[in-house]
Amino acid sequence: MQKKLKVGVVFGGPSSEHEVSLNSGKNVLRNLDTKKYTAIAIKIPKKVNWLIPFIQKVKKVDVAFLALHGRFGEDGKIQAILDSLRIPYTGSGVKSSSIAMDKAATYQMLSGEKLVFPRSKLLTSLDKRNTIGFPVVVKPNASGSSIGVSIVKSKKDLTRALMKAFREDREVLLEQYIRGTEFTCGVLGNYQKDLQALPVVEIRPAEPFFNYKAKYFDARTQEICPAPISKKLAKEIQRIASLVHEKLGCKGLTRSDFIVKNGKVYFFEINTIPGQTKESLCPKMARASGWTLEEFFDKQIRLALDK
């Protein structure tokens, strides 16, 4: 009888996405294949010193399933710790994670590709000069779940939005506001090896944009999978999502976000540890592909062991 692998599901963490991470981790724990894996919960608290207890627990597992969102999860820090311990883990490595977490660095890394980006400006201080124009999106440069993001329509509201974003990050991005249709697409695979683009999701938020409330609490938000779009547009979105995954050297599961306006596909960002809750976008893509959550999580673990 084959020995079951010990999978440490790492969730929680000190970031502003702590609560979302808790839900992701619990869902992974509930849906791991018990015939193949022994699931071990490794919950990282939000505020107390967690590093030593984490190392003691994670040393006992065969592979770590990362369900940490935001800082310390998607920025390469937890990956560096696991690399030093020689413990395989789901998702991308240190370099890819740190670049993908940094929106400005991601744009720079992809600047040589034939992609369309929103106009943007990186700020490191409370600079009120707006060269992008209004309306403008103000967002933390390295944060997720749309936390700290504002759409600013006039100069009088800019300072407040900047202060809100700077509370989340040391760098803030001013970004062109594009009113179009929102889409997202997941990709599974390591580097260039057998990349599989998942079905595209169309997002119809009840709020003016897909903010934290719309993502997790507003029942009026619609996430349609597969997206009701032409095969040509779906393939183009999948192509770009796969290209970004490949060029950033990503592994495992990623999810890229887009807005389409007048037939033009704008790439916005890539997430290297997308949500894994039952209602998260990538699990919806998995179900549309005909997989159970058990099979979806198994695929991610297999990719972690195949790096």
Side-chain angles (χ1 to χ4, degrees), residues 144-158:
S145 291
S146 299
I147 294 171
V149 179
S150 305
I151 295 177
V152 180
K153 296 180 180 179
S154 63
K155 188 175 181 179
K156 66 181 178 67
D157 297 320
L158 184 58

Side-chain angles (χ1 to χ4, degrees), residues 181-184 201-205 210 221-224 281:
T181 307
E182 297 187 43
F183 296 96
T184 191
V201 176
E202 179 180 338
I203 299 165
R204 298 177 183 174
F210 199 38
T221 295
Q222 297 179 59
E223 299 166 348
I224 306 166
L281 292 159

Side-chain angles (χ1 to χ4, degrees), residues 38-300:
T38 298
I40 299 170
I42 304 178
K43 180 182 175 182
I44 296 178
K46 190 168 186 179
K47 292 184 179 179
V48 301
N49 191 342
W50 54 268
L51 184 58
I52 301 299
F54 167 75
I55 290 174
Q56 291 171 340
K57 288 181 181 179
V58 83
K59 277 184 175 179
K60 300 175 183 178
V61 307
D62 298 306
V63 58
F65 194 114
L66 298 184
L68 284 172
H69 308 312
R71 291 191 178 279
F72 291 97
E74 293 182 78
D75 58 6
K77 291 185 174 64
I78 203 78
Q79 290 83 358
I81 294 169
L82 292 169
D83 282 345
S84 70
L85 297 171
R86 297 185 178 179
I87 296 169
Y89 51 87
T90 57
S92 298
V94 175
K95 182 178 179 181
S96 299
S97 297
S98 61
I99 292 172
M101 185 71 176
D102 185 321
K103 297 174 181 66
T106 298
Y107 291 166
Q108 182 63 35
M109 188 77 173
L110 297 169
S111 61
E113 306 302 322
K114 294 181 179 179
L115 302 179
V116 183
F117 308 100
R119 297 193 312 277
S120 62
K121 177 184 178 182
L122 186 65
L123 303 179
T124 56
S125 63
L126 200 64
D127 185 346
K128 300 176 187 178
R129 290 171 295 176
N130 175 13
T131 58
I132 305 299
F134 291 102
V136 65
V137 181
V138 180
K139 60 174 66 173
N141 185 46
S143 183
S145 291
S146 299
I147 294 171
V149 179
S150 305
I151 295 177
V152 180
K153 296 180 180 179
S154 63
K155 188 175 181 179
K156 66 181 178 67
D157 297 320
L158 184 58
T159 300
R160 183 185 300 175
L162 287 170
M163 292 175 66
K164 177 182 175 182
F166 272 116
R167 281 196 291 270
E168 300 296 330
D169 192 14
R170 294 174 300 173
E171 297 181 327
V172 167
L173 205 64
L174 292 184
E175 198 170 73
Q176 175 189 8
Y177 174 69
I178 299 169
R179 188 173 182 84
T181 307
E182 297 187 43
F183 296 96
T184 191
C185 181
V187 175
L188 270 173
N190 292 343
Y191 302 113
Q192 304 173 9
K193 186 178 179 182
D194 301 323
L195 294 186
Q196 181 174 5
L198 303 181
V200 177
V201 176
E202 179 180 338
I203 299 165
R204 298 177 183 174
E207 300 290 329
F209 73 106
F210 199 38
N211 60 15
Y212 186 82
K213 178 183 174 183
K215 284 181 179 180
Y216 301 112
F217 302 109
D218 197 328
R220 297 173 299 163
T221 295
Q222 297 179 59
E223 299 166 348
I224 306 166
C225 184
I229 55 178
S230 68
K231 287 183 179 179
K232 181 179 178 182
L233 179 55
K235 285 183 178 180
E236 177 63 3
I237 291 171
Q238 290 175 319
R239 182 192 71 81
I240 298 172
S242 298
L243 174 69
V244 173
H245 182 107
E246 176 189 333
K247 293 299 180 182
L248 268 58
C250 294
K251 307 172 197 173
L253 176 69
T254 64
R255 197 196 79 233
S256 291
D257 298 336
F258 305 89
I259 288 180
V260 176
K261 182 177 182 180
N262 299 328
K264 188 179 290 187
V265 181
Y266 291 84
F267 166 77
F268 276 80
E269 64 179 285
I270 184 171
N271 305 274
T272 53
I273 304 182
Q276 304 274 12
T277 74
K278 183 180 178 182
E279 297 305 319
S280 291
L281 292 159
C282 283
K284 287 183 178 181
M285 298 175 200
R287 287 193 291 272
S289 299
W291 304 330
T292 63
L293 285 179
E294 188 177 89
E295 291 169 332
F296 185 47
F297 297 148
D298 178 67
K299 288 177 186 292
Q300 294 179 59

